[in-house]
Amino acid sequence: PGAAPYKIVTFVPESKSGTPAQIKLFSYPNLELKDALCTKGAFRATMVDFLWSPTGSAVLVKTSTDMDATGKSYYGESFLTFMAGDGTLETNVGLGKEGPIHDVAWSPNGQMFVAVFGFMPAKAVLFDDKCRPTFDFGTGSRNTVKWAPHSRFLMLGGFGNIAGHMEFWDKNKQKCLGNIKQPGVVPVAWSPCSRYFLVACCFPRLRVDNGFQLLKYDGTPVFADRTAAGELYQVNFRPAPGVYPDRPVTPPKQRVPVPGGAPTTLTAITSGAAAGAEKAG
């Protein structure tokens, strides 16, 4: 992704004779070995995933092997390398917990990424686009990160062999907005407006209790539908890129006394202050 000159990253796996894997970054059309912007050797690396920033400013290289030389993990070993798109920075991503790398995801605006890693309870850390850690989400039962389209909200969740625990975070405020537990849900997705989160139980992964549910950005249930026919094959939001503006968390409501009557629920800010809050958020 990104504008020209386009960047290309290559990987040659570790050989059986012990020659380390080779990761090289090139700027097209200069693709001779001598033209590499950046080169890194890696041991215990037989497989790779390239995770480009949406802007093309950097690439995360996740290398892995089926075997864990230490015998600590059934899932093998994995490592994460950061490379700047212009080749000026190459470094190992500092993951301060032993164990596998469960998930890594760039924010849609390409300004940061989150890594979920380590033996359970897994740790999650936010890094900026220079690979500097900026926020620690702590540990929890999680193996997945899902960014909302506006890069404000994100979901940290545990799926598969983890029983559907989900945490909803406001990245701007560095605050957990809520958490819920929804076992057996696949798929999950954010709405184009970043205000709603979809969870579903689909056939054939689950043959009973098929249906979907809409949650608010903080995990509050909004709507649920169980398929009368018993089988739900697919559900998702219709794409609408660029249609909805970024919005902060809706201000909480509070009950205020009304002279001569029962307490009334009012939004705790005026419309003028709300506009200021939208801008400040």
Side-chain angles (χ1 to χ4, degrees):
Y6 303 111
K7 305 303 189 297
I8 297 174
V9 63
T10 64
F11 173 78
V12 178
E14 181 180 13
S15 70
K16 293 183 178 180
S17 63
T19 303
Q22 289 288 313
I23 305 165
K24 292 182 180 291
L25 177 68
F26 297 90
S27 179
Y28 182 83
N30 303 313
L31 303 180
E32 297 292 334
L33 293 179
K34 63 180 178 62
D35 297 325
L37 300 176
C38 185
T39 300
K40 178 178 174 59
F43 288 97
R44 303 194 301 279
T46 58
M47 298 174 287
V48 69
D49 289 307
F50 298 124
L51 306 168
W52 279 100
S53 159
T55 62
S57 63
V59 61
L60 294 166
V61 184
K62 178 186 174 185
T63 55
S64 57
T65 180
D66 288 332
M67 300 294 294
D68 183 352
T70 66
K72 294 181 180 179
S73 175
Y74 173 81
Y75 300 101
E77 293 181 278
S78 51
F79 306 90
L80 194 62
T81 299
F82 175 95
M83 287 183 170
D86 58 6
T88 57
L89 176 62
E90 174 271 305
T91 183
N92 293 326
V93 180
L95 305 179
K97 195 175 194 295
E98 282 192 332
I101 299 171
H102 303 287
D103 198 11
V104 183
W106 284 96
S107 61
N109 63 14
Q111 296 178 1
M112 66 211 82
F113 65 91
V114 169
V116 181
F117 54 91
F119 296 116
M120 293 295 164
K123 192 173 183 179
V125 174
L126 177 70
F127 297 83
D128 66 14
D129 59 355
K130 303 298 182 185
C131 201
R132 296 172 296 209
T134 60
F135 182 70
D136 190 331
F137 295 93
T139 59
S141 299
R142 50 172 82 120
N143 57 13
T144 303
V145 55
K146 293 284 188 184
W147 283 94
H150 294 88
S151 302
R152 176 186 294 270
F153 304 125
L154 68 146
M155 186 280 304
L156 296 173
F159 303 99
N161 58 356
I162 305 175
H165 179 75
M166 289 178 277
E167 308 162 29
F168 295 88
W169 288 81
D170 183 333
K171 178 270 303 177
N172 290 18
K173 304 295 184 183
Q174 298 183 343
K175 177 182 178 182
C176 184
L177 303 175
N179 58 80
I180 64 169
K181 191 171 183 179
Q182 288 276 10
V185 292
V186 173
V188 297
W190 283 97
S191 66
C193 64
S194 297
R195 309 301 288 180
Y196 300 99
F197 193 75
L198 172 71
V199 298
C201 294
C202 291
F203 181 92
R205 189 178 187 278
L206 287 176
R207 297 176 178 270
V208 296
D209 296 329
N210 283 191
F212 68 91
Q213 186 174 18
L214 282 180
L215 312 173
K216 286 184 64 176
Y217 53 81
D218 60 359
T220 303
V222 175
F223 176 80
D225 180 82
R226 293 294 178 186
T227 305
E231 296 178 359
L232 176 66
Y233 299 103
Q234 186 176 8
V235 59
N236 210 337
F237 289 102
R238 184 175 68 178
V243 173
Y244 300 97
D246 182 23
R247 293 170 54 201
V249 171
T250 301
K253 295 181 178 180
Q254 66 179 16
R255 298 181 68 83
V256 297
V258 176
T264 301
T265 300
L266 293 176
T267 301
I269 58 175
T270 66
S271 58
E278 291 269 350
K279 184 176 181 181

